[in-house]
Amino acid sequence: QVQLVESGGGLVQPGGSLRLSCTVSGGRVSIVPVAWYRQAPGQQRELVAGISIGGNTNYAVSVKGRFTISRDNAKNTLYLQMNSLKPEDTAVYYCNTWPNRWGQGTQVTVSS
């Protein structure tokens, strides 16, 4: 079965940067749409960024201009570069591949 493992989360100060990685086994990120989601306490899980098979990207309004989704097909890895982080970005971040594959999540905490 497909397995996804996120890494790169942690504690960062407001305005800082963090890069999340998601390694995929049992599947290929190059042949399915892939995405990053996040879920904050008391909130529903939301789509943060997605990338299509063809490389088109889309972002939540709240992160557009600050976050960048990308993938390395050779490494079968999905990335989320997060810049200018805000406290409201604090959440558990999950990578996802079509149709319904999820990682275990990685905690991102933005705080002074």
Side-chain angles (χ1 to χ4, degrees), residues 4-9 20-23 36 93-96 102-106:
L4 297 80
V5 180
E6 300 96 336
S7 62
L20 306 183
S21 299
C22 174
T23 58
W36 286 96
Y93 285 71
Y94 302 88
C95 62
N96 161 265
W102 300 88
Q104 82 289 345
T106 185

Side-chain angles (χ1 to χ4, degrees), residues 22-81:
C22 174
T23 58
V24 179
S25 61
R28 298 294 180 90
V29 298
S30 63
I31 62 174
V32 293
V34 292
W36 286 96
Y37 288 74
R38 69 185 181 188
Q39 187 167 22
Q43 304 292 323
Q44 293 187 330
R45 188 172 298 186
E46 65 172 339
L47 175 65
V48 176
I51 185 167
S52 71
I53 296 172
N56 293 327
T57 58
N58 64 284
Y59 299 91
V61 172
S62 60
V63 308
K64 190 173 180 62
R66 300 187 297 119
F67 290 11
T68 303
I69 186 172
S70 64
R71 64 188 172 201
D72 186 325
N73 293 337
K75 296 181 179 179
N76 214 33
T77 300
L78 180 69
Y79 300 99
L80 184 67
Q81 178 66 48

